[in-house]
Short mmCIF file of all heavy atoms in Angstrom, two decimals:
data_model
loop_
_atom_site.label_atom_id
_atom_site.label_comp_id
_atom_site.label_asym_id
_atom_site.label_seq_id
_atom_site.Cartn_x
_atom_site.Cartn_y
_atom_site.Cartn_z
N LYS A 1 3.02 -2.41 -9.32
CA LYS A 1 1.88 -2.06 -8.49
C LYS A 1 2.10 -2.17 -7.03
O LYS A 1 1.35 -1.60 -6.27
CB LYS A 1 0.61 -2.94 -8.89
CG LYS A 1 0.22 -2.74 -10.30
CD LYS A 1 -1.05 -3.49 -10.58
CE LYS A 1 -1.46 -3.24 -12.03
NZ LYS A 1 -2.69 -3.84 -12.36
N PHE A 2 3.11 -2.85 -6.55
CA PHE A 2 3.17 -3.19 -5.17
C PHE A 2 4.57 -2.75 -4.47
O PHE A 2 4.78 -3.07 -3.36
CB PHE A 2 2.98 -4.71 -4.93
CG PHE A 2 1.64 -5.17 -5.31
CD1 PHE A 2 1.49 -5.81 -6.53
CD2 PHE A 2 0.48 -4.91 -4.55
CE1 PHE A 2 0.24 -6.26 -6.96
CE2 PHE A 2 -0.73 -5.32 -4.98
CZ PHE A 2 -0.86 -5.99 -6.15
N ILE A 3 5.38 -2.09 -5.28
CA ILE A 3 6.65 -1.61 -4.67
C ILE A 3 7.14 -0.41 -5.46
O ILE A 3 6.90 -0.24 -6.70
CB ILE A 3 7.75 -2.73 -4.71
CG1 ILE A 3 8.90 -2.39 -3.87
CG2 ILE A 3 8.14 -3.13 -6.18
CD1 ILE A 3 9.79 -3.58 -3.60
N VAL A 4 7.79 0.43 -4.78
CA VAL A 4 8.43 1.62 -5.38
C VAL A 4 9.95 1.40 -5.32
O VAL A 4 10.50 1.44 -4.16
CB VAL A 4 8.02 2.91 -4.73
CG1 VAL A 4 8.77 4.08 -5.29
CG2 VAL A 4 6.55 3.15 -4.82
N ILE A 5 10.60 1.27 -6.42
CA ILE A 5 12.02 0.97 -6.42
C ILE A 5 12.71 2.35 -6.66
O ILE A 5 12.36 3.00 -7.68
CB ILE A 5 12.40 -0.05 -7.49
CG1 ILE A 5 11.73 -1.35 -7.10
CG2 ILE A 5 13.95 -0.26 -7.51
CD1 ILE A 5 11.82 -2.41 -8.17
N SER A 6 13.62 2.74 -5.80
CA SER A 6 14.30 4.03 -5.93
C SER A 6 15.74 3.93 -5.48
O SER A 6 16.10 3.22 -4.60
CB SER A 6 13.58 5.07 -5.09
OG SER A 6 14.17 6.27 -5.01
N GLN A 7 16.56 4.79 -6.22
CA GLN A 7 17.99 4.87 -5.76
C GLN A 7 18.12 5.63 -4.49
O GLN A 7 19.09 5.49 -3.77
CB GLN A 7 18.76 5.59 -6.80
CG GLN A 7 18.90 4.82 -8.11
CD GLN A 7 19.67 5.59 -9.19
OE1 GLN A 7 20.03 6.80 -9.00
NE2 GLN A 7 20.00 4.96 -10.32
N ASN A 8 17.14 6.47 -4.21
CA ASN A 8 17.09 7.21 -2.94
C ASN A 8 16.68 6.38 -1.79
O ASN A 8 15.48 6.36 -1.46
CB ASN A 8 16.27 8.49 -3.09
CG ASN A 8 16.28 9.37 -1.89
OD1 ASN A 8 17.09 9.13 -0.94
ND2 ASN A 8 15.42 10.39 -1.82
N VAL A 9 17.62 5.59 -1.23
CA VAL A 9 17.22 4.52 -0.29
C VAL A 9 16.83 5.15 1.07
O VAL A 9 16.32 4.41 1.90
CB VAL A 9 18.36 3.52 -0.11
CG1 VAL A 9 18.57 2.77 -1.42
CG2 VAL A 9 19.67 4.18 0.32
N GLU A 10 17.11 6.43 1.28
CA GLU A 10 16.71 7.03 2.61
C GLU A 10 15.29 7.57 2.53
O GLU A 10 14.76 7.91 3.63
CB GLU A 10 17.71 8.20 2.87
CG GLU A 10 19.07 7.76 3.19
CD GLU A 10 19.15 6.88 4.43
OE1 GLU A 10 18.49 7.28 5.45
OE2 GLU A 10 19.82 5.87 4.41
N GLU A 11 14.65 7.53 1.42
CA GLU A 11 13.28 7.95 1.30
C GLU A 11 12.35 6.94 1.99
O GLU A 11 12.49 5.72 1.85
CB GLU A 11 12.89 8.17 -0.15
CG GLU A 11 11.54 8.76 -0.38
CD GLU A 11 11.25 8.94 -1.88
OE1 GLU A 11 12.10 8.61 -2.66
OE2 GLU A 11 10.13 9.29 -2.20
N GLU A 12 11.41 7.40 2.75
CA GLU A 12 10.48 6.45 3.47
C GLU A 12 9.58 5.71 2.47
O GLU A 12 9.12 6.27 1.54
CB GLU A 12 9.68 7.20 4.47
CG GLU A 12 10.38 7.83 5.60
CD GLU A 12 9.55 8.63 6.55
OE1 GLU A 12 8.28 8.71 6.34
OE2 GLU A 12 10.03 9.21 7.52
N GLY A 13 9.47 4.42 2.72
CA GLY A 13 8.53 3.62 1.96
C GLY A 13 9.02 3.07 0.64
O GLY A 13 8.34 2.26 0.05
N VAL A 14 10.27 3.40 0.28
CA VAL A 14 10.78 2.84 -1.01
C VAL A 14 11.54 1.55 -0.82
O VAL A 14 12.00 1.30 0.26
CB VAL A 14 11.68 3.87 -1.72
CG1 VAL A 14 10.92 5.16 -2.11
CG2 VAL A 14 12.89 4.25 -0.94
N ASN A 15 11.53 0.75 -1.86
CA ASN A 15 12.27 -0.48 -1.88
C ASN A 15 11.84 -1.54 -0.90
O ASN A 15 12.50 -2.47 -0.51
CB ASN A 15 13.79 -0.28 -1.71
CG ASN A 15 14.37 0.71 -2.71
OD1 ASN A 15 14.03 0.60 -3.92
ND2 ASN A 15 15.16 1.65 -2.24
N ILE A 16 10.56 -1.42 -0.45
CA ILE A 16 9.93 -2.38 0.42
C ILE A 16 8.58 -2.63 -0.21
O ILE A 16 7.93 -1.71 -0.72
CB ILE A 16 9.80 -1.98 1.90
CG1 ILE A 16 9.02 -0.68 1.99
CG2 ILE A 16 11.14 -1.86 2.49
CD1 ILE A 16 8.80 -0.27 3.51
N PRO A 17 8.13 -3.94 -0.16
CA PRO A 17 6.80 -4.26 -0.76
C PRO A 17 5.65 -3.63 0.13
O PRO A 17 5.83 -3.37 1.29
CB PRO A 17 6.74 -5.80 -0.73
CG PRO A 17 7.81 -6.22 0.19
CD PRO A 17 8.83 -5.12 0.27
N ALA A 18 4.55 -3.43 -0.55
CA ALA A 18 3.40 -2.83 0.09
C ALA A 18 2.95 -3.77 1.25
O ALA A 18 2.93 -4.96 1.10
CB ALA A 18 2.22 -2.66 -0.89
N GLY A 19 2.60 -3.14 2.34
CA GLY A 19 2.23 -3.89 3.53
C GLY A 19 0.71 -4.19 3.51
O GLY A 19 0.36 -5.31 3.87
N ASP A 20 -0.11 -3.30 3.08
CA ASP A 20 -1.55 -3.53 3.10
C ASP A 20 -2.10 -3.02 1.81
O ASP A 20 -1.82 -1.98 1.32
CB ASP A 20 -2.22 -2.74 4.28
CG ASP A 20 -1.73 -3.22 5.57
OD1 ASP A 20 -1.78 -4.42 5.85
OD2 ASP A 20 -1.40 -2.36 6.43
N ILE A 21 -2.95 -3.90 1.21
CA ILE A 21 -3.72 -3.53 -0.03
C ILE A 21 -5.15 -3.89 0.23
O ILE A 21 -5.46 -5.09 0.53
CB ILE A 21 -3.17 -4.24 -1.20
CG1 ILE A 21 -1.66 -3.91 -1.39
CG2 ILE A 21 -3.98 -3.89 -2.41
CD1 ILE A 21 -0.94 -4.80 -2.36
N TYR A 22 -5.98 -2.92 0.21
CA TYR A 22 -7.43 -3.27 0.42
C TYR A 22 -8.32 -2.28 -0.42
O TYR A 22 -7.85 -1.23 -0.86
CB TYR A 22 -7.77 -3.21 1.89
CG TYR A 22 -7.50 -1.80 2.56
CD1 TYR A 22 -8.51 -0.85 2.60
CD2 TYR A 22 -6.24 -1.52 3.03
CE1 TYR A 22 -8.28 0.35 3.21
CE2 TYR A 22 -6.01 -0.32 3.70
CZ TYR A 22 -6.94 0.66 3.71
OH TYR A 22 -6.72 1.81 4.28
N TYR A 23 -9.56 -2.70 -0.56
CA TYR A 23 -10.46 -1.88 -1.40
C TYR A 23 -11.59 -1.43 -0.47
O TYR A 23 -12.17 -2.26 0.26
CB TYR A 23 -11.09 -2.76 -2.50
CG TYR A 23 -10.00 -3.20 -3.49
CD1 TYR A 23 -9.26 -4.42 -3.36
CD2 TYR A 23 -9.73 -2.43 -4.64
CE1 TYR A 23 -8.28 -4.77 -4.25
CE2 TYR A 23 -8.72 -2.79 -5.54
CZ TYR A 23 -8.06 -3.98 -5.32
OH TYR A 23 -7.09 -4.36 -6.24
N ALA A 24 -11.86 -0.18 -0.57
CA ALA A 24 -13.00 0.38 0.20
C ALA A 24 -13.60 1.47 -0.56
O ALA A 24 -12.89 2.30 -1.16
CB ALA A 24 -12.49 0.88 1.57
N GLU A 25 -14.92 1.47 -0.65
CA GLU A 25 -15.69 2.55 -1.35
C GLU A 25 -15.22 2.69 -2.78
O GLU A 25 -14.99 3.77 -3.29
CB GLU A 25 -15.58 3.82 -0.60
CG GLU A 25 -16.09 3.76 0.87
CD GLU A 25 -15.76 5.06 1.60
OE1 GLU A 25 -15.23 6.05 0.99
OE2 GLU A 25 -16.04 5.11 2.77
N ASN A 26 -15.11 1.59 -3.46
CA ASN A 26 -14.63 1.55 -4.85
C ASN A 26 -13.26 2.19 -5.11
O ASN A 26 -13.04 2.71 -6.22
CB ASN A 26 -15.72 2.23 -5.79
CG ASN A 26 -16.98 1.49 -5.76
OD1 ASN A 26 -16.97 0.22 -5.61
ND2 ASN A 26 -18.10 2.15 -5.85
N LYS A 27 -12.42 2.28 -4.11
CA LYS A 27 -11.11 2.80 -4.27
C LYS A 27 -10.09 1.78 -3.72
O LYS A 27 -10.39 1.08 -2.74
CB LYS A 27 -10.96 4.09 -3.48
CG LYS A 27 -11.71 5.25 -4.01
CD LYS A 27 -11.41 6.52 -3.32
CE LYS A 27 -12.12 7.70 -3.91
NZ LYS A 27 -11.85 8.91 -3.14
N LYS A 28 -8.93 1.76 -4.37
CA LYS A 28 -7.91 0.85 -3.98
C LYS A 28 -6.94 1.66 -2.97
O LYS A 28 -6.54 2.73 -3.35
CB LYS A 28 -7.11 0.35 -5.09
CG LYS A 28 -5.97 -0.57 -4.80
CD LYS A 28 -5.28 -0.98 -6.10
CE LYS A 28 -4.12 -1.89 -5.73
NZ LYS A 28 -3.39 -2.28 -6.95
N HIS A 29 -6.71 1.09 -1.87
CA HIS A 29 -5.85 1.73 -0.84
C HIS A 29 -4.65 0.84 -0.64
O HIS A 29 -4.73 -0.36 -0.40
CB HIS A 29 -6.51 1.91 0.48
CG HIS A 29 -7.69 2.79 0.37
ND1 HIS A 29 -7.62 4.15 0.43
CD2 HIS A 29 -9.01 2.52 0.24
CE1 HIS A 29 -8.86 4.72 0.36
NE2 HIS A 29 -9.73 3.71 0.20
N VAL A 30 -3.42 1.43 -0.91
CA VAL A 30 -2.21 0.70 -0.69
C VAL A 30 -1.38 1.49 0.29
O VAL A 30 -1.25 2.67 0.24
CB VAL A 30 -1.41 0.58 -2.00
CG1 VAL A 30 -0.12 -0.20 -1.85
CG2 VAL A 30 -2.25 -0.07 -3.10
N SER A 31 -0.83 0.75 1.30
CA SER A 31 0.00 1.45 2.28
C SER A 31 1.34 0.76 2.36
O SER A 31 1.43 -0.43 2.37
CB SER A 31 -0.71 1.46 3.67
OG SER A 31 -0.71 0.20 4.16
N TRP A 32 2.32 1.58 2.48
CA TRP A 32 3.73 1.15 2.70
C TRP A 32 4.16 1.58 4.03
O TRP A 32 4.30 2.72 4.26
CB TRP A 32 4.67 1.79 1.66
CG TRP A 32 4.63 1.23 0.29
CD1 TRP A 32 5.45 0.23 -0.15
CD2 TRP A 32 3.70 1.55 -0.76
NE1 TRP A 32 5.05 -0.08 -1.48
CE2 TRP A 32 4.04 0.72 -1.86
CE3 TRP A 32 2.65 2.42 -0.93
CZ2 TRP A 32 3.35 0.73 -3.05
CZ3 TRP A 32 1.97 2.42 -2.12
CH2 TRP A 32 2.36 1.62 -3.15
N SER A 33 4.26 0.55 4.91
CA SER A 33 4.66 0.87 6.26
C SER A 33 6.13 0.45 6.46
O SER A 33 6.56 -0.55 5.83
CB SER A 33 3.78 0.22 7.28
OG SER A 33 3.88 -1.17 7.17
#
C-alpha cells in the first residue's frame, strides 16, 4: 500500500515510500514525492 517497487529505477516515484497519506472527502490520497 505504501511503495511501488519496480525494476525501472528511472521512473519517477518508484522504490521510495509514500511521502503523504491523508484522507479527504471519503477518499484516500497518497502522494509519492
